[in-house]
Amino acid sequence: MSTLLQQLLNGLSLGSIYALIALGYTMVYGILKLINFAHGEVFMMGAYAGYFAALALGVQHAGSAGFPLYLAVLVLVVSMAAAALLGVTIEFLAYRPVRSAPRLTPLITAIGVSLFLQNAAMLAFTPNPRPYPPILREVRFELAGVIVTNVKLTIFVVAMALMVGLTWFIQKTWTGKAMRAVATNIDAARLMGIDTDRVIRATFAVGSALAAAGGILFGLDQIMINPLMGVLTGLKAFVAAVLGGIGNVRGAVLGGLLIGLAEQLTAGYLSPDYRDAITFVILIIILILRPQGLLGVVRPEKV
Amino acid sequence: MQPLKRLASATAIGLLLYGVGLWLQDGLIEYAQRIVLLAGINVILAVGLNLINGTTGQFSIGHAGFMAVGAYAAAFFGVKLAPLVQGLVGSGALADGVTFNLALLVGALLAGLTGLLVGAPSLRLRGDYLAVVTLGFGEIIRISFNNAQFLGAATGYFGDTPAGLPAYTSFFWVYAWAIAIVLLISNLTFSQTGRSLAAIREDEIAAEAMATPTTRLKVLAFSLSAASAGVAGGLFAFMQSGIRPEDFRFDKSIDMIVMIIIGGLGSISGAIVGGVFVAVTLELMRDLQQYRLVLYALLLITIMLVRPEGLLGSRELPALLRARLGRKRPVGEAK
Amino acid sequence: MQRRQLFSLAVAGIAASAEACKKKEASGSAAGAGPGQGSEIVIGHYASMTGGTAHFGQDTDKAARLAVEQLNASGGVLGKKLKLVTLDTRGDGAEAANAVSRLIDVEKATAILGEVASSLSLQGGPIAQRRKIPMVSPSSTNPKVTQVGDYVFRVCYIDPFQGKVMALFARQTLKLDKVAILKDVKNDYSIGLADAFQKAFVGSGGTIAIEQSYSAGDTDFSAQVTAIKSSGAQAIWVPGYYAEVGAIARTAARLGVKIPLMGGDGWDAPQLFTIGGEALNGSYFSNHFAPDQASPKAQKFVADFKAKYGQEPTGLGALGYDGVMVIADAIKRAGKVDTAAIRDALATTKDYEAVTGKITMDKDRNPEKSVVVLKIDGGKAKYETLVSP
């Protein structure tokens, strides 16, 4: 029983990270109907930003007291800002010029950007996997036969906090409402005087920042980062967004958690060889049975 | 064309290929020969993919999976069939040729079947969703091969001898199959069925309203393009000592997409140009070493930003040249 | 319609022929000269310099470059300078074959070093064999690699040997009865080593508690470790590479799994300790030399590598260095730059003092090397015992 609980806990913490990344996918798709293939690389860059920020702030000299909390928060904020900048730059350079092109073109452009970032990272950071700096010193305790660490709890808490923050942002702030308007009907929003370019920029910025947070948490939990870490993780997070209903924020969270759980349970009880495959199987099943996702709404297509 | 004329031209082309093949074998270093073979295989991949992505407008980005199915099927059956065939006709060029082509046919068949299985449920989806599903299937196929112990799993399938798979693939066979497939797909594209496929690409709902059996046609195009990828996979397998699941990653699917994008989506001659281009350019870029892939990615992005319709757009080379030379276009030809 | 198609075909044919002619011209000038006729001896290196296993290829290449540099600094081989030409395989089978054929045809390599991955060595080996160019793999451990032919050699252990050594160590020295296996299914090195261990361990009376797997590049091992925890295993055999091993050790420590880990020479890298940290204490692995008992040659290599690159070498690096050195030694003993003579010299390599031990080639072109078993204590690897073939 404790094994099952352990697997569930691990699944939820992994799933929270997927959820954070999935939010970026779902928001961008909701607004631009574009699958931002490069989002996985933004996640990776965010993790590396945190790595370098932590090193710059002297994490290796932290000693037994651990890295002070305010510096850890600073690392998080700096990385999120850097990722936001990266996301906005990508949008400006690569997606905006092709915004009005047939859907195929931006998709391939996104794939190109993804490839570019992966290989640029390999060049800049060397392909060697790096251990993540101990921004949080790990504390373990046991609860009902299940090992829980402060890192896992932090992941869950931070992820939830960011998601609540995002929901508040979308519901209550002006920019958030503008985002929802643009997602509903971009032309009408423009006619209503909304600066769609600004809204799109904001969407990319917020989504990328969340992905960076996911990257740092991932590094803390999984210990290692490498330039190709965004490829598979990004893909799985995208599946999570689709599972929950692409364009739907709550759906992205639900999807992320479900994919995390499915992956962990498959690895634990079926075979670790299929942990990646299960995500794609879920993708296929959901797209065939319920393409709008679990929480999505069917949008009638106007001819 | 009358059957006699057809036979005559086929024989002529066959002799030409054979001659060129011999000349290349003597005249070219092995390295260059490999590139020529890979270019031919790319042409098959590109023209096949173009049928579904370009002509029919249905986006598949997991085609490496079908290539893998074709490769493994052809390799496995080729190795197992060889002794049987040799028992019947004795060992030698005849036996090799028979085994090879039978293996390729098996590869094409199984790949086409896989295409059917993948296409049937997926082709109800539109645009981006279809793309992602095909990506998913491509990955599932690769992961399955990675776990298939009898096919060598991650190490790969190298046949039954340490020397690896027999090197059946030659210039003649690659280009013979390439010509056959290009002719087949050309004929299809410029036929009534092909026009229906183009109609699906232009406006699927309108096509459906005009009583076009869209789903059936889409699945047909998909399976055919999968089968071509299967042939390419088989040809590829028999020029390597062995094949591994890692050779059919998503990267390979992207290479295929680059091929048809460069030449121009929807153009068969464009696909041919793109296929050759990718095979040759990657090798030529070797001097750039670790910057090679970064530049390759930048190339892709630049093409999409600057000239997304590729070199030829959706036009074919003959039409393009005709327009350039100022001659009148026959009535009813697509622009 | 027929005209249109024939036109397309003709154009394609012309394009292909034009490319072909260009290639022929490019190589025509060099076509006359054979390998080694110039003032340089070219050693071709094919490795994964980009892609998922880039760090392995780059580690090997750095060390190989160091070896070539040192050889040239002391006058070269047979009075000629060595030149190392490295071609990237991208971790792809077709590229590996392309790289080897290019090294032979265009770069005129006298000998070839490569590859790290057995599955890629199996692509390049047949080509080298057919063209009669000696190939030395630095770290491919699958027995099939040298079975390709008499021109293919290696300087590392093969899986059956290393796996057996550690299995018997576990049974006889550590007195273990029940061991779990956690292997990397993406690397045939790991699969081969796991199989060899299992055969030997079970063959000597032990049982395998449970078998789990992961893929290189995975970062989450909690599922597998959790399963192993409840299997009653006394140790875990983890014959993978250092990055994942380090993370696995940390995961095990985190989940309260206190049994020792055991592994092979894939563990050998400074990153093992930076990633795994204290969690590795009490674990064992087999390697080519012990840092606290290293031969002067090994120590000098480590120091030189660190001086040139600012980091310590990994086990793969040491093998890459030895690969070049063994080739150079064979060329010297052959007395002439003739590939057949060099092949024969390689085959008769006896007691060559390499960084990774004394190398004598057996009849299957695999080296008879001793294995050192190391124990990790206080964040360092320490000599435990030596096992000779």
Side-chain angles (χ1 to χ4, degrees):
Chain A
M1 187 56 189
S2 64
T3 315
L4 178 63
L5 284 176
Q6 184 76 66
Q7 303 283 27
L8 287 176
L9 174 71
N10 294 338
L12 282 177
S13 94
L14 192 62
S16 308
I17 297 177
Y18 288 151
L20 282 174
I21 308 172
L23 284 168
Y25 278 116
T26 217
M27 292 199 307
V28 167
Y29 192 86
I31 295 201
L32 286 180
K33 301 287 176 285
L34 162 77
I35 302 177
N36 182 9
F37 263 97
H39 196 56
E41 274 57 56
V42 172
F43 157 77
M44 176 267 294
M45 288 291 189
Y48 271 93
Y51 175 87
F52 288 114
L55 285 183
L57 290 172
V59 68
Q60 65 265 48
H61 308 302
S64 54
F67 208 48
L69 188 61
Y70 76 94
L71 281 183
V73 173
L74 185 63
V75 165
L76 186 67
V77 168
V78 164
S79 312
M80 287 172 78
L85 190 64
L86 178 66
V88 168
T89 312
I90 294 174
E91 194 274 325
F92 182 73
L93 290 177
Y95 299 154
R96 177 171 308 191
V98 293
R99 216 184 274 169
S100 49
R103 288 263 282 277
L104 213 55
T105 309
L107 183 71
I108 300 178
T109 314
I111 294 178
V113 174
S114 165
L115 280 179
F116 173 73
L117 287 173
Q118 281 171 42
N119 286 295
M122 292 260 276
L123 277 180
F125 306 140
T126 81
N128 285 301
R130 295 172 193 245
Y132 217 66
I135 301 172
L136 274 186
R137 236 195 43 188
E138 197 173 281
V139 173
R140 295 172 27 215
F141 43 96
E142 207 165 308
L143 200 69
V146 172
I147 308 264
V148 182
T149 68
N150 60 338
V151 174
K152 292 227 191 287
L153 284 180
T154 312
I155 291 176
F156 205 64
V157 165
V158 170
M160 285 301 140
L162 287 172
M163 288 181 242
V164 166
L166 181 71
T167 313
W168 170 85
F169 179 77
I170 293 185
Q171 299 289 348
K172 300 291 181 197
T173 66
W174 203 93
T175 319
K177 285 192 198 160
M179 281 183 193
R180 279 188 292 143
V182 172
T184 310
N185 189 327
I186 189 166
D187 296 315
R190 205 177 283 136
L191 288 171
M192 298 300 279
I194 295 178
D195 181 350
T196 45
D197 283 345
R198 228 188 53 134
V199 169
I200 291 173
R201 268 203 302 273
T203 312
F204 269 87
V206 172
S208 305
L210 290 173
I216 294 180
L217 294 172
F218 184 91
L220 282 175
D221 186 42
Q222 308 289 356
I223 305 155
M224 284 188 302
I225 59 171
N226 70 81
L228 298 179
M229 65 193 268
V231 180
L232 208 50
T233 311
L235 215 51
K236 290 182 192 168
F238 175 71
V239 174
V242 170
L243 176 65
I246 195 129
N248 185 310
V249 166
R250 250 167 284 168
V253 175
L254 179 64
L257 293 174
L258 285 176
I259 294 281
L261 282 171
E263 186 181 322
Q264 201 68 4
L265 291 174
T266 305
Y269 290 107
L270 211 68
S271 162
D273 302 332
Y274 296 115
R275 74 183 301 149
D276 296 331
I278 192 71
T279 309
F280 296 114
V281 170
I282 292 178
L283 172 74
I284 291 165
I285 293 177
I286 198 77
L287 281 180
I288 291 174
L289 292 180
R290 200 188 152 89
Q292 68 270 29
L294 293 172
L295 299 182
V297 180
V298 185
R299 290 253 180 87
E301 192 173 329
K302 293 220 191 81
V303 185
Chain B
M1 242 202 217
Q2 295 139 332
L4 204 59
K5 253 205 226 167
R6 210 174 278 185
L7 189 63
S9 9
T11 321
I13 295 180
L15 285 173
L16 181 69
L17 280 179
Y18 191 66
V20 174
L22 282 180
W23 173 71
L24 284 177
Q25 240 172 304
D26 285 328
L28 277 188
I29 54 178
E30 184 178 336
Y31 171 63
Q33 286 177 40
R34 276 190 63 89
I35 307 301
V36 170
L37 290 177
L38 285 174
I41 291 177
N42 276 7
V43 165
I44 297 177
L45 284 171
V47 171
L49 187 64
N50 185 53
L51 179 66
I52 187 72
N53 280 16
T55 308
T56 319
Q58 303 300 306
F59 220 50
S60 166
I61 57 177
H63 246 60
F66 304 126
M67 189 183 176
V69 171
Y72 272 99
F76 186 73
F77 279 100
V79 167
K80 300 297 175 207
L81 274 177
L84 289 168
V85 173
Q86 282 172 352
L88 283 174
V89 295
S91 54
L94 178 62
D96 287 347
V98 170
T99 313
F100 185 41
N101 285 290
L102 278 178
L104 287 178
L105 282 171
V106 170
L109 201 67
L110 283 177
L113 218 70
T114 313
L116 188 67
L117 287 172
V118 168
S122 319
L123 287 162
R124 295 189 291 136
L125 302 163
R126 305 280 164 82
D128 301 341
Y129 284 159
L130 175 64
V132 178
V133 166
T134 56
L135 174 64
F137 271 113
E139 283 298 290
I140 290 180
I141 292 175
R142 185 186 59 82
I143 294 175
S144 305
F145 280 121
N146 210 37
N147 289 316
Q149 291 303 326
F150 76 104
L151 287 173
T155 312
Y157 184 65
F158 288 84
D160 291 333
T161 61
L165 297 173
Y168 292 142
T169 303
S170 68
F171 178 84
F172 175 74
W173 286 119
V174 169
Y175 282 89
W177 275 93
I179 291 176
I181 289 178
V182 168
L183 281 175
L184 182 73
I185 292 185
S186 281
N187 276 331
L188 181 67
T189 308
F190 295 114
S191 72
Q192 167 74 26
T193 315
R195 275 197 284 276
S196 303
L197 291 177
I200 294 176
R201 172 189 70 212
E202 297 298 325
D203 191 332
E204 188 164 343
I205 296 175
E208 234 171 89
M210 298 298 282
T212 316
T214 51
T215 314
R216 190 148 40 101
L217 284 177
K218 284 196 288 187
V219 174
L220 170 71
F222 200 78
S223 311
L224 208 58
S225 96
S228 319
V231 171
L235 289 165
F236 175 75
F238 288 108
M239 69 178 279
Q240 296 281 110
S241 317
I243 46 178
R244 325 171 305 153
E246 275 298 292
D247 298 336
F248 305 106
R249 284 186 307 234
F250 182 50
D251 302 25
K252 189 101 207 141
S253 296
I254 294 183
D255 281 348
M256 292 201 265
I257 292 175
V258 172
M259 290 179 218
I260 56 177
I261 296 281
I262 287 186
L265 211 55
S267 160
I268 295 180
S269 29
I272 295 176
V273 168
V276 173
F277 180 86
V278 167
V280 169
T281 317
L282 270 183
E283 279 304 315
L284 289 177
M285 281 167 80
R286 267 194 189 276
D287 295 323
L288 301 166
Q289 293 179 359
Q290 61 259 50
Y291 297 99
R292 181 165 64 146
L293 291 177
V294 176
L295 289 173
Y296 186 60
L298 275 177
L299 177 71
L300 182 61
I301 298 174
T302 314
I303 292 176
M304 295 320 290
L305 292 179
V306 167
R307 198 184 159 87
E309 66 270 20
L311 283 171
L312 296 174
S314 57
R315 297 167 297 180
E316 299 292 344
L317 207 51
L320 195 62
L321 289 171
R322 240 192 305 232
R324 281 286 161 81
L325 296 171
R327 291 212 215 112
K328 266 210 282 205
R329 266 180 276 127
V331 175
E333 187 178 288
K335 232 197 193 171
Chain C
M1 206 175 332
Q2 330 301 74
R3 263 186 301 156
R4 201 184 296 168
Q5 286 139 12
L6 285 176
F7 199 117
S8 316
L9 291 169
V11 172
I14 293 173
S17 312
E19 272 312 327
C21 288
K22 240 202 297 174
K23 289 260 183 300
K24 191 178 175 193
E25 272 164 35
S27 62
S29 49
Q37 297 306 317
S39 58
E40 286 180 323
I41 301 178
V42 175
I43 297 183
H45 182 205
Y46 70 116
S48 309
M49 301 294 281
T50 59
T53 51
H55 44 294
F56 295 154
Q58 290 188 10
D59 282 345
T60 311
D61 193 58
K62 282 196 195 132
R65 278 188 193 280
L66 177 67
V68 168
E69 228 175 64
Q70 289 181 345
L71 284 167
N72 284 341
S74 56
V77 175
L78 295 181
K80 297 191 184 169
K81 294 264 185 241
L82 287 174
K83 181 175 165 193
L84 185 74
V85 176
T86 306
L87 291 183
D88 182 17
T89 61
R90 276 207 294 167
D92 180 71
E95 297 259 340
N98 287 354
V100 173
S101 72
R102 183 177 162 128
L103 284 171
I104 296 176
D105 288 327
V106 178
E107 309 293 340
K108 305 285 174 222
T110 305
I112 294 182
L113 180 73
E115 230 257 8
V116 169
S118 296
S119 59
L120 292 178
S121 291
L122 284 169
Q123 296 284 1
I127 298 180
Q129 176 68 29
R130 198 174 3 107
R131 303 295 299 274
K132 304 238 181 294
I133 304 282
M135 178 177 124
V136 175
S137 168
S139 20
S140 287
T141 54
N142 190 314
K144 283 199 213 154
V145 169
T146 44
Q147 289 170 7
V148 166
D150 60 352
Y151 269 79
V152 182
F153 299 79
R154 72 177 108 215
V155 289
C156 53
Y157 318 115
I158 56 174
D159 295 331
F161 176 57
Q162 209 185 161
K164 195 167 98 167
V165 165
M166 286 309 279
L168 293 178
F169 178 77
R171 279 297 288 151
Q172 294 160 359
T173 314
L174 299 178
K175 307 265 189 275
L176 298 174
D177 297 312
K178 225 173 153 191
V179 169
I181 295 182
L182 180 54
K183 65 184 178 188
D184 175 355
V185 287
K186 213 166 173 199
N187 270 309
D188 34 45
Y189 161 78
S190 187
I191 298 175
L193 211 44
D195 287 342
F197 179 92
Q198 175 163 12
K199 271 206 197 89
F201 193 74
V202 170
S204 59
T207 54
I208 303 297
I210 187 173
E211 202 173 302
Q212 288 281 306
S213 54
Y214 63 93
S215 289
D218 275 359
T219 46
D220 185 65
F221 307 98
S222 39
Q224 294 94 320
V225 174
T226 309
I228 291 175
K229 185 176 179 183
S230 48
S231 72
Q234 298 166 305
I236 316 179
W237 173 239
V238 194
Y241 283 105
Y242 50 88
E244 288 85 28
V245 171
I248 290 171
R250 283 263 282 266
T251 311
R254 188 194 281 171
L255 291 174
V257 176
K258 296 196 174 52
I259 55 185
L261 269 55
M262 297 173 53
D265 65 332
W267 284 35
D268 184 10
Q271 291 96 322
L272 177 72
F273 300 100
T274 53
I275 296 176
E278 306 236 314
L280 286 164
N281 288 344
S283 296
Y284 301 87
F285 68 104
S286 54
N287 200 8
H288 310 277
F289 60 84
D292 54 342
Q293 281 216 7
S295 65
K297 200 156 188 184
Q299 289 176 3
K300 179 169 189 302
F301 165 67
V302 173
D304 291 342
F305 191 94
K306 198 157 178 195
K308 184 171 162 84
Y309 295 112
Q311 53 182 213
E312 278 184 19
T314 61
L316 287 177
L319 287 168
Y321 184 88
D322 280 343
V324 172
M325 287 305 193
V326 164
I327 292 175
D329 174 69
I331 298 177
K332 278 193 203 131
R333 281 185 291 114
K336 49 183 172 165
V337 184
D338 171 71
T339 53
I342 296 172
R343 185 226 85 86
D344 291 335
L346 275 171
T348 51
T349 305
K350 192 167 161 64
D351 287 335
Y352 177 75
E353 291 275 356
V355 165
T356 58
K358 247 196 230 174
I359 295 183
T360 299
M361 288 291 179
D362 67 13
K363 61 173 171 53
D364 295 317
R365 296 168 300 287
N366 300 321
E368 290 168 4
K369 280 159 83 171
S370 306
V371 173
V372 176
V373 180
L374 301 169
K375 181 175 179 179
I376 300 183
D377 205 7
K380 278 190 184 326
K382 301 205 174 100
Y383 174 89
E384 181 77 7
T385 185
L386 177 80
V387 180
S388 299

